[in-house]
Amino acid sequence: MTDPMPNIEGLVCPVPLLHNRQVVLGHGSGGRMSYELISKLFLPPLDNPILRAGDDAGVVSLPSGDDPHALRLAVSTDSHVVMPLFFPGGDIGRLAVCGTVNDVAMMGAEPMYLTAGFVLEEGLDFDLLGRVIASMQSAAHEAQVKVIAGDTKVVQRGKADGLYINTTGIGIIPKMVNIRGSNAQPGDVVLLSGTIGDHGIAVLAARGELYFDAQISSDVAPLNSLVSAMLHVSDNIHVLRDPTRGGLATTLNEIAIQSNVGIQIHEDSIPVKPAVSAACEMLGFDPLYVANEGKLIAIVGKDHADELLAVMHSHPLGIDASIIGTVTDEPGQHVTLRTTLGTTRLVDMLSGEMLPRIC
Amino acid sequence: MKYIAEYRDSTRVHTVMDEIARIVHRPWVIMEICGGQTHSIMRYGLDQLLPTGIELVHGPGCPVCVTSLEMIDKALAIAAQPGVIFTSYGDMLRVPGSDRDLFSMRASGADVRVVYSSLDALKIAQENPDKQVVFFAIGFETTAPANAMSVFQAKKLGLKNYSLLVSHVRVPPAMHVILGSASNRVRGFLAAGHVCAVMGYWEYAPIAQKYKVPIVVTGFEPVDIAQGILYTVKQLEKGRYDVENAYARVVSFEGNQPAQKLISQVFEECDQTWRGIGNIPASGWKLNSDYKDFDASERFQVQAIKPKESPLCIAGQILQGLKKPYNCPAFGSQCTPEHPLGATMVSSEGACAAYYRYGRPQ
């Protein structure tokens, strides 16, 4: 073989390809592409201080008498497009209630009321729809919220995946509670309420994409009673966030950006179910990026961490809770992971769509 | 997770790393061939545990990264045709062709589906007899047996609506290219365990002897990689250049012979263009004359488009171990996983993507 690389300096890679002309699925992944879509397309024209805060719910103050902030409300909305509609541990109805209840609860608010908008596909089975609504009723009862308004629209067959549900939630933020994504401070402790990745893997398994029986149920659950128990013992909770799409890694990155801090987490302290871990190994996924629907991250003052952990452990949704890391003053808003080997690596946001590796 | 945890055990990794530090006396550049190994190294921070002087450089073993632009353009052209279901491993959807990627094709209405294996694509073909189902058969020796099996079965079943767009590459010719280059710095190789599980390691002895480099078959877990490095450094320090197997729980000398037989029944050697490297003689596989009816590039008569490349990207040099991602002026600024300038940033196994995801703040 002659010198095999005569033209090497001239061979390079393709021009950049920006997904900035049309929506691709990656824009809905909850990762950096979603973040860019919101910050570049939605935020500029709709901008206001409440939206700009970038939290799970918008916080509005209503005046009463002389007090302009007499009543503070957390308002959040979420559309649910899960496929399949029923999966181990839940269904689209339960998800639609819990997802919005949790977003409201993550502001420290007590969720009170929900509205529900349904997009129904022509041909949808009444029995199936009835089961979804019954499941919503059961989840609403569990979360102690009422559905107070609703809407239905029907689209032609083939124009929707059976059923989409949008829910909007309203909750009251108790006086003295101030929980925001921007409140994390260096020295704070990061708590996680339980195992990660259960929902994402359960849905993948229900789609038949795993080709083995995963035995994993979604963790979808309303977190407001856990939040309420935590608020009962501590006034030093700075941030609450439920790591849904994009997973723990993406949510921690969002908090690091909002609070302008670094976050270091410890790999061996993050609980992952063996079945989730095994499924992720097979598919080439990292559990840090897999969705959860019944877990919360709490960033709290160091002195309150142990007491809060004890409260979480005594709640059914926090049995596997764990202290997973600390907030640092490291500049650059990086999330880093201390590996089981004692090395350190960066943990970035989910980029676009989560894709299985080739080999 | 039994059988994996023991290969991630911190004590075992540190014991091997301590042994490397004890025996090493000179600086060495070692290349891990496989993108999967690059990712393990960055994910576990194994480079941080190595003594100074041992430098790991990252090889061309990412099938997504090295698939030529011409092939991607062919894939896009086929996916655009009506009545086609284009199936691919997920990673390939993000790789930009000359002007678009498969994600944009899907967003524009093309039927592009992610599958985990060519056999899933074959199933889609059986279920959709009125559609043409094409599978993008990329990869090294690792994916070749399953891809070969899919056309072998398609022929047996008499399926007329299934075809492969083949862009297979082989490791040994790429090693010749790297070692034969005047600017080569690599003194030892970690051979890719999964490739060797299929092919064995009988092909590597002539390479080790010709270029006087040790080649150690290495797995993917932290303990495996540490052991692969230890074996390599031991040889380098003693002036030996043999082929050794540090992944014996998976790899045998002969490899998987039924798989090799199937590959030789379906494929034949061909010249192949590697993105970022160029044409390497006899470095690929294409369908042989018995199976040429299943060749999608003939069935759909796709014409290659002259590619437009970014002048900033140094992926070619990274894939040969000449440069590191941090040496690239575009790394992390103009070039990120969301806006990749090059294939090494696109694939989850690409070296730039690994540095971007796991690398410590610089």
Side-chain angles (χ1 to χ4, degrees), chain B residues 66-77 96-98 136 165 167 272-273 275 279 297 302-307 309:
Chain B
V66 301
T67 298
S68 72
L69 194 51
E70 181 192 325
M71 273 299 166
I72 312 273
D73 284 346
K74 280 185 180 178
L76 296 168
S98 287
F136 201 175
L165 180 61
S167 183
Q272 187 67 274
T273 302
R275 190 174 222 175
N279 189 279
S297 59
V302 282
Q303 305 300 325
I305 305 157
K306 194 76 183 160
E309 302 275 21

Short mmCIF file of all heavy atoms in Angstrom, two decimals, chain B residues 66-77 96-98 136 165 167 272-273 275 279 297 302-307 309:
data_model
loop_
_atom_site.label_atom_id
_atom_site.label_comp_id
_atom_site.label_asym_id
_atom_site.label_seq_id
_atom_site.Cartn_x
_atom_site.Cartn_y
_atom_site.Cartn_z
N VAL B 66 -17.89 7.35 10.28
CA VAL B 66 -17.09 7.10 9.08
C VAL B 66 -17.95 6.80 7.84
O VAL B 66 -17.41 6.65 6.75
CB VAL B 66 -16.07 5.96 9.30
CG1 VAL B 66 -15.13 6.31 10.45
CG2 VAL B 66 -16.75 4.63 9.53
N THR B 67 -19.27 6.71 8.01
CA THR B 67 -20.11 6.47 6.84
C THR B 67 -20.04 7.68 5.91
O THR B 67 -20.23 8.81 6.34
CB THR B 67 -21.56 6.21 7.27
OG1 THR B 67 -21.59 5.04 8.08
CG2 THR B 67 -22.46 5.99 6.07
N SER B 68 -19.75 7.44 4.65
CA SER B 68 -19.43 8.55 3.74
C SER B 68 -20.65 9.41 3.46
O SER B 68 -21.79 8.96 3.50
CB SER B 68 -18.87 8.00 2.43
OG SER B 68 -19.91 7.39 1.69
N LEU B 69 -20.34 10.66 3.16
CA LEU B 69 -21.39 11.62 2.84
C LEU B 69 -22.20 11.15 1.63
O LEU B 69 -23.42 11.32 1.58
CB LEU B 69 -20.73 12.98 2.55
CG LEU B 69 -21.63 14.19 2.50
CD1 LEU B 69 -22.49 14.27 3.74
CD2 LEU B 69 -20.78 15.44 2.38
N GLU B 70 -21.50 10.53 0.68
CA GLU B 70 -22.18 10.02 -0.51
C GLU B 70 -23.26 9.02 -0.12
O GLU B 70 -24.37 9.04 -0.65
CB GLU B 70 -21.12 9.37 -1.41
CG GLU B 70 -21.66 8.81 -2.70
CD GLU B 70 -20.61 7.93 -3.40
OE1 GLU B 70 -19.40 8.24 -3.31
OE2 GLU B 70 -21.02 6.92 -4.00
N MET B 71 -22.94 8.16 0.84
CA MET B 71 -23.92 7.16 1.29
C MET B 71 -25.11 7.83 1.99
O MET B 71 -26.25 7.41 1.81
CB MET B 71 -23.26 6.19 2.28
CG MET B 71 -22.58 5.03 1.62
SD MET B 71 -23.76 4.03 0.68
CE MET B 71 -22.62 3.04 -0.27
N ILE B 72 -24.82 8.84 2.80
CA ILE B 72 -25.90 9.54 3.49
C ILE B 72 -26.81 10.19 2.44
O ILE B 72 -28.04 10.14 2.55
CB ILE B 72 -25.35 10.65 4.42
CG1 ILE B 72 -24.23 10.13 5.29
CG2 ILE B 72 -26.47 11.29 5.23
CD1 ILE B 72 -24.58 9.49 6.56
N ASP B 73 -26.19 10.80 1.43
CA ASP B 73 -27.00 11.44 0.38
C ASP B 73 -27.85 10.41 -0.36
O ASP B 73 -28.99 10.67 -0.73
CB ASP B 73 -26.09 12.21 -0.59
CG ASP B 73 -25.60 13.53 0.02
OD1 ASP B 73 -26.17 13.94 1.05
OD2 ASP B 73 -24.66 14.13 -0.52
N LYS B 74 -27.27 9.22 -0.57
CA LYS B 74 -28.05 8.15 -1.21
C LYS B 74 -29.24 7.77 -0.31
O LYS B 74 -30.36 7.57 -0.79
CB LYS B 74 -27.18 6.91 -1.42
CG LYS B 74 -26.28 6.99 -2.64
CD LYS B 74 -25.56 5.64 -2.82
CE LYS B 74 -24.64 5.68 -4.04
NZ LYS B 74 -23.92 4.43 -4.21
N ALA B 75 -28.97 7.67 0.99
CA ALA B 75 -30.04 7.32 1.94
C ALA B 75 -31.16 8.34 1.88
O ALA B 75 -32.35 7.99 1.84
CB ALA B 75 -29.47 7.23 3.35
N LEU B 76 -30.78 9.62 1.85
CA LEU B 76 -31.79 10.69 1.82
C LEU B 76 -32.60 10.61 0.52
O LEU B 76 -33.81 10.78 0.53
CB LEU B 76 -31.11 12.06 1.94
CG LEU B 76 -30.38 12.31 3.27
CD1 LEU B 76 -29.51 13.55 3.19
CD2 LEU B 76 -31.37 12.44 4.41
N ALA B 77 -31.91 10.33 -0.59
CA ALA B 77 -32.59 10.26 -1.88
C ALA B 77 -33.58 9.09 -1.91
O ALA B 77 -34.68 9.20 -2.44
CB ALA B 77 -31.57 10.13 -3.01
N PRO B 96 -25.81 14.62 9.18
CA PRO B 96 -26.19 15.45 8.06
C PRO B 96 -25.61 14.95 6.74
O PRO B 96 -24.46 14.57 6.68
CB PRO B 96 -25.63 16.83 8.42
CG PRO B 96 -24.64 16.61 9.48
CD PRO B 96 -24.88 15.27 10.10
N GLY B 97 -26.45 14.95 5.73
CA GLY B 97 -25.97 14.77 4.37
C GLY B 97 -25.57 16.13 3.84
O GLY B 97 -25.30 17.05 4.62
N SER B 98 -25.56 16.28 2.52
CA SER B 98 -25.11 17.56 1.97
C SER B 98 -26.03 18.71 2.38
O SER B 98 -25.57 19.81 2.61
CB SER B 98 -25.03 17.49 0.45
OG SER B 98 -23.92 16.71 0.09
N PHE B 136 -30.67 0.65 6.17
CA PHE B 136 -29.37 1.30 6.01
C PHE B 136 -28.33 0.44 6.73
O PHE B 136 -28.17 0.54 7.94
CB PHE B 136 -29.43 2.71 6.59
CG PHE B 136 -28.38 3.65 6.08
CD1 PHE B 136 -28.39 4.99 6.46
CD2 PHE B 136 -27.39 3.23 5.20
CE1 PHE B 136 -27.43 5.88 5.98
CE2 PHE B 136 -26.43 4.10 4.72
CZ PHE B 136 -26.45 5.44 5.12
N LEU B 165 -29.17 -0.77 1.85
CA LEU B 165 -28.20 0.22 1.39
C LEU B 165 -26.94 -0.05 2.21
O LEU B 165 -26.86 0.27 3.39
CB LEU B 165 -28.72 1.65 1.64
CG LEU B 165 -27.78 2.77 1.19
CD1 LEU B 165 -27.53 2.70 -0.32
CD2 LEU B 165 -28.35 4.14 1.55
N SER B 167 -23.18 -0.03 3.57
CA SER B 167 -21.96 0.77 3.73
C SER B 167 -21.14 0.17 4.87
O SER B 167 -20.91 0.80 5.89
CB SER B 167 -22.34 2.22 4.03
OG SER B 167 -21.17 3.01 4.13
N GLN B 272 -13.78 1.18 -0.02
CA GLN B 272 -14.81 1.94 0.69
C GLN B 272 -14.30 3.33 1.02
O GLN B 272 -13.14 3.49 1.40
CB GLN B 272 -15.18 1.18 1.98
CG GLN B 272 -16.36 1.76 2.75
CD GLN B 272 -17.65 1.60 1.99
OE1 GLN B 272 -17.99 2.44 1.16
NE2 GLN B 272 -18.39 0.54 2.25
N THR B 273 -15.17 4.32 0.88
CA THR B 273 -14.82 5.67 1.30
C THR B 273 -15.20 5.86 2.76
O THR B 273 -16.33 5.57 3.14
CB THR B 273 -15.57 6.70 0.44
OG1 THR B 273 -15.23 6.47 -0.93
CG2 THR B 273 -15.17 8.13 0.82
N ARG B 275 -15.66 8.54 5.74
CA ARG B 275 -15.80 9.97 5.94
C ARG B 275 -14.64 10.47 6.80
O ARG B 275 -14.32 9.89 7.83
CB ARG B 275 -17.11 10.27 6.67
CG ARG B 275 -17.45 11.74 6.70
CD ARG B 275 -18.83 11.93 7.31
NE ARG B 275 -19.55 12.95 6.56
CZ ARG B 275 -20.82 13.26 6.79
NH1 ARG B 275 -21.50 12.64 7.70
NH2 ARG B 275 -21.41 14.18 6.08
N ASN B 279 -10.74 7.20 0.62
CA ASN B 279 -10.93 5.84 0.12
C ASN B 279 -9.85 4.93 0.67
O ASN B 279 -8.67 5.25 0.62
CB ASN B 279 -10.91 5.85 -1.41
CG ASN B 279 -11.33 4.50 -1.95
OD1 ASN B 279 -10.54 3.56 -2.00
ND2 ASN B 279 -12.60 4.38 -2.29
N SER B 297 -29.04 0.62 -3.66
CA SER B 297 -28.52 1.70 -4.50
C SER B 297 -28.75 1.39 -5.98
O SER B 297 -28.89 2.28 -6.79
CB SER B 297 -27.04 1.99 -4.20
OG SER B 297 -26.27 0.84 -4.41
N VAL B 302 -29.90 5.63 -7.24
CA VAL B 302 -29.63 6.93 -6.62
C VAL B 302 -28.29 7.48 -7.10
O VAL B 302 -27.31 6.78 -7.18
CB VAL B 302 -29.65 6.83 -5.09
CG1 VAL B 302 -31.08 6.80 -4.60
CG2 VAL B 302 -28.91 5.61 -4.59
N GLN B 303 -28.29 8.72 -7.43
CA GLN B 303 -27.08 9.38 -7.88
C GLN B 303 -26.43 10.09 -6.71
O GLN B 303 -27.09 10.73 -5.91
CB GLN B 303 -27.42 10.41 -8.97
CG GLN B 303 -28.19 9.85 -10.14
CD GLN B 303 -27.43 8.75 -10.87
OE1 GLN B 303 -26.21 8.80 -10.97
NE2 GLN B 303 -28.13 7.75 -11.37
N ALA B 304 -25.13 9.99 -6.63
CA ALA B 304 -24.40 10.69 -5.56
C ALA B 304 -24.37 12.19 -5.85
O ALA B 304 -24.30 12.61 -6.99
CB ALA B 304 -23.00 10.15 -5.45
N ILE B 305 -24.45 12.96 -4.78
CA ILE B 305 -24.37 14.41 -4.92
C ILE B 305 -23.00 14.85 -4.43
O ILE B 305 -22.47 14.30 -3.48
CB ILE B 305 -25.47 15.09 -4.06
CG1 ILE B 305 -26.84 14.52 -4.45
CG2 ILE B 305 -25.42 16.60 -4.19
CD1 ILE B 305 -27.88 14.66 -3.38
N LYS B 306 -22.42 15.81 -5.09
CA LYS B 306 -21.10 16.29 -4.67
C LYS B 306 -21.25 16.95 -3.30
O LYS B 306 -21.97 17.92 -3.14
CB LYS B 306 -20.58 17.29 -5.70
CG LYS B 306 -19.10 17.60 -5.55
CD LYS B 306 -18.25 16.46 -6.08
CE LYS B 306 -16.77 16.77 -5.84
NZ LYS B 306 -15.95 15.57 -5.88
N PRO B 307 -20.57 16.42 -2.29
CA PRO B 307 -20.78 16.95 -0.93
C PRO B 307 -20.14 18.31 -0.69
O PRO B 307 -19.13 18.65 -1.30
CB PRO B 307 -20.11 15.90 -0.05
CG PRO B 307 -19.13 15.22 -0.92
CD PRO B 307 -19.65 15.29 -2.31
N GLU B 309 -18.50 20.38 2.36
CA GLU B 309 -17.95 20.11 3.68
C GLU B 309 -17.58 21.41 4.40
O GLU B 309 -17.21 22.39 3.77
CB GLU B 309 -16.70 19.23 3.57
CG GLU B 309 -16.94 17.91 2.87
CD GLU B 309 -17.45 16.84 3.81
OE1 GLU B 309 -17.99 17.16 4.87
OE2 GLU B 309 -17.33 15.66 3.46
#
